[in-house]
Amino acid sequence: MRQDVTFRIARADDVPAIVAMLADDPLGARREGDPGDPRYLAAFERIDADPYDELVVAELDGKVVGTMQLTYLAGLSRLGAERCQIEAVRVHASARGHGIGRRMIGWAVDRARERGCAMVQLTSDKTRTDAHRFYDSLGFAASHEGFKLALG
Amino acid sequence: MRQDVTFRIARADDVPAIVAMLADDPLGARREGDPGDPRYLAAFERIDADPYDELVVAELDGKVVGTMQLTYLAGLSRLGAERCQIEAVRVHASARGHGIGRRMIGWAVDRARERGCAMVQLTSDKTRTDAHRFYDSLGFAASHEGFKLALG
């Protein structure tokens, strides 16, 4: 019998599977390296030690099939409200079409609400039009322009 | 003789001036409260204690005339690169038109580059079209859609 998808905080031994998902993507393929590169583990360790950062994996039948990173941002705006930012959302190619992404984002929103966050925010590359329909269907408003400046 | 604008990390006694700038804004006016509300100081204290968060003020002739918040985000993407996120950018109404915003964002970009950040990112409400031209002129690309979900 097929088990249901579960979500948990990532462990160091999940890092190669997470990096493989980041790289298996039209945009990610151009910018990722060997999943064993020690810089990935160093970044994991910083996230793992930070009380305001959570790297999450989705697991199905004992296999990592999805990932996202949650950061709880402080700020003075809105009476000092905390916001939850979602980054690096991926579902494994073999596991798409089963609502795992929807369950994962729903899990993040519930978690942010339980913490008392005033808002969940994320950005998505303008070329990812399927993702935009997905976030729209989850109630997110595309209210902002997302600006990036790459540093050479 | 008028002094030049300088930038520094905010102190607790800057909080009322920062909140006043956040509130003096077509969008901010609807969501801010009394600058003396203790929740603002609590948010300041969390930012001040976090090594990856910097609340910045611009000072001119001994007066706070601008603010922004920098957060150094960890992530596995791009070989574990750190990114600098800019939020809550404001220049005091009495000090606009003198290039203070441009100097302030330039200061943030230089600081991010010195830390070794791979990218500077920010979002801007789609109604702030003047701000979009400003970030475009500074070399930022409006490459992403920015999604927000307010939590009730």
Side-chain angles (χ1 to χ4, degrees):
Chain A
M1 195 178 72
R2 188 181 171 117
Q3 293 194 313
D4 204 6
V5 65
T6 54
F7 304 97
R8 63 171 171 78
I9 303 300
R11 301 181 302 253
D13 62 3
D14 296 317
V15 168
I18 296 169
V19 173
M21 286 188 285
L22 295 175
D24 181 25
D25 175 271
L27 298 172
R30 288 185 271 140
R31 57 197 187 206
E32 300 308 333
D34 179 344
D37 189 304
R39 287 173 285 183
Y40 288 120
L41 195 59
F44 168 81
E45 284 168 355
R46 175 177 150 189
I47 294 167
D48 197 46
D50 188 331
Y52 303 116
D53 250 342
E54 294 180 330
L55 185 63
V56 176
V57 291
E59 211 170 29
L60 186 66
D61 298 330
K63 190 169 172 288
V64 168
V65 295
T67 185
M68 65 182 166
Q69 184 183 338
L70 309 181
T71 303
Y72 302 102
L73 295 166
L76 263 56
S77 299
R78 298 166 190 266
L79 290 160
E82 193 180 58
R83 282 160 299 129
C84 173
Q85 180 159 306
I86 307 178
E87 298 252 2
V89 178
R90 295 291 188 283
V91 173
H92 194 279
S94 70
R96 288 180 198 151
H98 301 287
I100 292 171
R102 184 169 296 272
R103 297 269 310 275
M104 191 163 67
I105 299 298
W107 187 88
V109 169
D110 289 347
R111 197 169 177 87
R113 189 178 277 118
E114 279 165 25
R115 274 184 73 99
C117 291
M119 182 182 287
V120 182
Q121 64 183 32
L122 59 92
T123 69
S124 177
D125 193 286
K126 287 192 176 177
T127 63
R128 300 194 197 269
T129 51
D130 286 354
H132 303 169
R133 280 191 290 274
F134 169 71
Y135 291 118
D136 181 70
S137 77
L138 287 166
F140 284 80
S143 56
H144 283 61
E145 286 287 335
F147 288 90
K148 310 267 176 180
L149 175 69
L151 301 180
Chain B
M1 192 179 75
R2 189 181 168 115
Q3 292 195 315
D4 204 6
V5 65
T6 55
F7 304 98
R8 63 170 171 79
I9 302 300
R11 301 181 302 252
D13 62 4
D14 296 317
V15 168
I18 295 170
V19 173
M21 285 188 285
L22 295 176
D24 182 23
D25 176 271
L27 298 172
R30 287 185 272 140
R31 57 198 187 204
E32 301 306 335
D34 180 344
D37 190 303
R39 289 173 284 184
Y40 289 119
L41 195 59
F44 168 81
E45 284 168 355
R46 175 177 150 189
I47 294 167
D48 197 47
D50 188 330
Y52 303 115
D53 251 340
E54 293 180 331
L55 186 62
V56 176
V57 292
E59 212 170 29
L60 186 65
D61 298 329
K63 189 169 174 288
V64 168
V65 294
T67 184
M68 66 182 166
Q69 184 182 340
L70 308 180
T71 304
Y72 302 102
L73 295 166
L76 263 57
S77 298
R78 300 168 190 262
L79 290 161
E82 192 180 59
R83 282 160 297 130
C84 173
Q85 180 159 304
I86 307 179
E87 298 251 3
V89 178
R90 294 290 187 285
V91 173
H92 194 279
S94 70
R96 289 180 197 151
H98 300 287
I100 291 172
R102 184 169 296 273
R103 297 268 311 273
M104 190 163 68
I105 300 296
W107 187 87
V109 169
D110 289 346
R111 196 167 177 87
R113 190 179 274 116
E114 278 165 24
R115 275 184 71 99
C117 291
M119 182 182 285
V120 181
Q121 64 183 31
L122 59 92
T123 70
S124 177
D125 193 286
K126 285 190 176 177
T127 62
R128 299 195 197 270
T129 51
D130 287 355
H132 304 168
R133 280 190 291 274
F134 169 72
Y135 292 118
D136 181 70
S137 77
L138 287 166
F140 284 80
S143 56
H144 284 61
E145 287 287 335
F147 289 90
K148 309 268 176 180
L149 175 68
L151 301 180

